[in-house]
Amino acid sequence: MVMEWSTESAPPAQRFDQWREACREHVYALTPKRHTRGPFKGAITRRQLGSLDVTDIVCEGHLVQRRDQDIGERPSDTYYVYLQQRGRAWFEQQGQRCVAEPGDIVIADPNIAFSTGTDGTFDFRLWRIERASLRASLAPHSGELTMRRIGREQANRALITSWLDALLHHHAGLSSTSLELACGTLCSLVGQALNTTIGLPEPARLARRRALLQRVMRQVELRSSDMELTPERVAREFGLSLRTLHQLFELSEHSFHEFLTHTRLAHAHALLCAPSTQHIGTAEIGFAAGFRETSTFYRRFRQRYGDTPGAMRKGIATMAPHEKPVFP
């Protein structure tokens, strides 16, 4: 489910007041303050992914406080993972101050008063995790979860962001059980980033391996058309041994070579179907998708889709307009 709200739907003179109410409804009970006059612009997009809540916010800069009074009125049953998308934002909580640059993560407890602001535009993604779920990944008696910045220079940041991106991209195809397992992995990764994980090494190692596999798979998808993409090359770029790379893929349904082949076939299929590439021959389509040999491309394509590339293209060409695939 996706909820979208924008100040464009409000009269200009009432936009900031309605923004305050929208934040209270869709984010947290907050006290926004603005010193400038004139119409205010802001937009909120909110999605529910199982037990996770993800909210994108883009708005003009202003001061935001979550005061003790706000917490008392509406305490939260979540922790938050804040991902800075563009620009810079600062945070203050319990005497600590940090600045988030694009790509940085801030993890904190909204039931501890804080303030935040920016010199430009707020542009961030806020993931809210159920307190009970994340608390299970934290060390016993770890106390309050005060603000922690996980910067771009830290390895944990890349693992968390790649896992978050994968969740957002693939959640629609996940069963409720798989989605909750993915949420559990996220909690484990966040717990490790906070250096407060329970002393259970196997779950922690498994979470890191899953997240690293997701990063590797994403890179393979982005570079599948490169004919020189080999497991040796990928392993070297990620600082892994070849054996470790293949062990990572044991966590998935496919080996490295199977995943690469399936990705290339999907790319070739999309090119064959797209109106903009109808002038390109089927052999060239195979090369563009990353296949070195035309015979290999044709054989693999038929195994995957039950028809040759040329026959599939002809079949699409003879479809009635309402039957054809729709492309952006």
Side-chain angles (χ1 to χ4, degrees):
M1 183 183 70
V2 179
M3 184 289 304
E4 295 182 325
W5 185 89
S6 170
T7 54
E8 295 300 314
S9 61
Q14 301 175 17
R15 286 179 180 175
F16 193 71
D17 289 337
Q18 293 198 17
W19 175 258
R20 181 185 294 108
E21 294 307 311
C23 288
R24 293 181 67 87
E25 179 179 356
H26 299 296
V27 189
Y28 294 115
L30 301 168
T31 303
K33 295 182 179 179
R34 188 170 183 240
H35 300 298
T36 58
R37 295 184 177 181
F40 176 82
K41 293 183 179 180
I44 299 173
T45 302
R46 183 178 177 185
R47 302 173 180 85
Q48 194 71 38
L49 280 60
S51 61
L52 286 175
D53 180 295
V54 55
T55 304
D56 289 334
I57 294 181
V58 180
C59 66
E60 295 178 9
H62 58 288
L63 175 65
V64 180
Q65 295 176 308
R66 181 158 162 84
R67 306 166 303 166
D68 290 332
Q69 178 181 339
D70 299 317
I71 296 168
E73 290 176 3
R74 288 186 60 184
S76 174
D77 59 357
T78 67
Y79 293 113
Y80 66 78
V81 178
Y82 173 106
L83 174 62
Q84 187 75 16
Q85 306 219 90
R86 293 187 302 164
R88 304 167 74 234
W90 58 263
F91 297 84
E92 289 184 351
Q93 188 179 59
Q94 287 195 333
Q96 299 183 43
R97 182 182 176 94
C98 73
V99 175
E101 304 279 355
D104 287 351
I105 287 174
V106 176
I107 301 169
D109 182 349
N111 287 345
I112 303 174
F114 68 85
S115 59
T116 179
T118 176
D119 295 332
T121 299
F122 275 120
D123 189 341
F124 62 91
R125 177 167 290 162
L126 191 71
W127 294 81
R128 286 180 285 193
I129 305 175
E130 289 182 346
R131 297 179 78 86
S133 299
L134 183 55
R135 178 55 64 182
S137 295
L138 302 179
H141 315 299
S142 57
E144 290 185 329
L145 178 58
T146 52
M147 182 191 312
R148 288 285 300 276
R149 171 185 167 274
I150 311 297
R152 293 162 294 168
E153 71 281 0
Q154 296 172 254
N156 282 321
R157 197 278 315 179
L159 292 176
I160 294 172
T161 54
S162 65
W163 194 256
L164 291 174
D165 288 344
L167 267 175
L168 196 59
H169 186 67
H170 298 295
H171 75 276
L174 296 177
S175 66
S176 58
T177 300
S178 297
L179 186 55
E180 289 311 302
L181 286 172
C183 293
T185 297
L186 173 61
C187 289
S188 183
L189 290 170
V190 171
Q192 292 172 62
L194 297 172
N195 296 318
T196 57
T197 49
I198 298 173
L200 298 176
E202 186 54 34
R205 284 200 299 268
L206 183 57
R208 291 185 67 84
R209 289 177 64 206
R210 285 175 177 159
L212 181 55
L213 172 63
Q214 184 58 51
R215 287 191 67 203
V216 172
M217 293 173 78
R218 180 58 177 159
Q219 283 300 306
V220 171
E221 288 177 336
L222 292 173
R223 297 163 54 193
S224 62
S225 60
D226 181 359
M227 294 183 186
E228 304 300 325
L229 192 65
T230 64
E232 292 81 5
R233 182 174 171 185
V234 172
R236 184 170 59 252
E237 291 176 357
F238 277 87
L240 304 172
S241 69
L242 185 59
R243 181 170 180 270
T244 299
L245 177 70
H246 288 308
Q247 287 176 333
L248 283 178
F249 275 86
E250 291 176 2
L251 297 174
S252 74
E253 298 177 352
H254 306 291
S255 68
F256 176 93
H257 290 289
E258 289 171 341
F259 180 75
L260 177 57
T261 298
H262 285 195
T263 302
R264 286 171 170 168
L265 288 172
H267 186 197
H269 184 273
L271 291 174
L272 285 165
C273 297
S276 60
T277 54
Q278 294 302 298
H279 64 287
I280 302 177
T282 55
E284 285 74 20
I285 291 288
F287 294 141
F291 289 93
R292 286 180 175 273
E293 302 291 338
T294 302
S295 58
T296 301
F297 168 51
Y298 286 175
R299 183 176 71 255
R300 295 293 191 186
F301 193 92
R302 187 162 193 166
Q303 290 173 346
R304 177 70 177 84
Y305 296 106
D307 217 338
T308 65
M312 177 169 285
R313 172 176 273 176
K314 288 179 182 178
I316 293 173
T318 57
M319 286 181 181
H322 69 277
E323 297 175 316
K324 292 184 179 181
V326 178
F327 298 90

